Amino acid sequence: MTAPGQLKRLFALDRHTDISGVSGAGVVAYGLETTTGLVVMRWLGDKPSTVVWESLEHAMAVHGHNGATDILTLDGPFPADLLPTLRAAFARILDVASIVGHLGQEIDEFLTAPGRVTA
């Protein structure tokens, strides 16, 4: 398994035009980028999700909507009323990363155990 690297930056995706009609305009996701390029993002809204991308370029190729979304580097200080939203988003990102990290060895054991392949 490739090491995730160190934290490079925290960012927000700011959508100034909602082309799809799903996410709305404004900040639609928060994320982190590592020194290896790995990106983990937490989508906001009615149906939040946490996703992992190999790179920010890959994520923007799908979600950038041809320039309708900007990447804003987060470097604080942050307004007190925004801190709960930021903490919740990044806590969920860390929860997902922890789950994936713990499952890595279990998945490897499952894949290499005899008699596990079924049709």
Side-chain angles (χ1 to χ4, degrees), residues 47-92:
K47 296 179 178 82
S49 63
T50 304
V51 296
V52 179
W53 291 90
E54 291 297 320
S55 71
L56 193 50
E57 292 77 22
H58 289 179
M60 290 303 287
V62 173
H63 295 292
H65 297 293
N66 297 316
T69 306
D70 294 323
I71 302 165
L72 306 176
T73 297
L74 302 175
D75 55 4
F78 303 104
D81 63 334
L82 182 58
L83 286 177
T85 300
L86 289 171
R87 285 188 176 124
F90 288 107
R92 188 62 184 139

Side-chain angles (χ1 to χ4, degrees), residues 13-72:
L13 293 187
D14 184 27
R15 184 155 297 147
H16 46 86
T17 303
D18 183 15
I19 294 172
S20 67
V22 175
S23 301
V27 173
V28 294
Y30 290 105
L32 64 83
E33 181 179 21
T34 70
T35 53
T36 64
L38 188 74
V39 169
V40 185
M41 296 188 328
R42 179 66 177 172
W43 290 92
L44 307 175
D46 294 340
K47 296 179 178 82
S49 63
T50 304
V51 296
V52 179
W53 291 90
E54 291 297 320
S55 71
L56 193 50
E57 292 77 22
H58 289 179
M60 290 303 287
V62 173
H63 295 292
H65 297 293
N66 297 316
T69 306
D70 294 323
I71 302 165
L72 306 176

